[in-house]
Amino acid sequence: MNVDAVKDIMRMLDRAGKLGGNQRDLIENAIYCLENGQSYRAEQSLKTMARNYGNEGDSDAEREVEQLSLIHI
């Protein structure tokens, strides 16, 4: 996982209208963490995003973010 991959997912989710306030905060935090060498925190933010999508019943978004968070940095 790298910053560009996370930004790509962010743009995709934004275009699909699936990037609400809390989710936007989490993905922006993940980007910030990756840029500053905090890969564990970035992974945790993305896992939280995936859980949130799952709780909302959005399995497509959950799967995309979960796959991204499982790729070791």
Side-chain angles (χ1 to χ4, degrees):
M1 170 178 25
N2 61 42
V3 174
D4 291 332
V6 177
K7 286 181 179 180
D8 288 343
I9 293 290
M10 184 173 86
R11 283 190 290 273
M12 181 201 68
L13 292 169
D14 195 31
R15 281 191 306 269
K18 299 180 179 184
L19 199 58
N22 185 42
Q23 297 293 68
R24 181 176 301 277
D25 290 345
L26 285 167
I27 201 163
E28 287 175 351
N29 182 62
I31 291 167
Y32 174 82
C33 289
L34 286 173
E35 291 174 337
N36 291 285
Q38 300 172 346
S39 58
Y40 176 78
R41 287 180 174 226
E43 185 178 343
Q44 293 308 305
S45 288
L46 293 173
K47 286 182 179 182
T48 300
M49 273 185 81
R51 267 193 311 275
N52 289 347
Y53 282 127
N55 290 340
E56 295 169 2
D58 190 341
S59 59
D60 292 336
E62 177 186 19
R63 188 172 30 262
E64 288 292 327
V65 175
E66 190 173 65
Q67 287 176 355
L68 183 64
S69 71
L70 293 177
I71 299 171
H72 294 288
I73 304 164

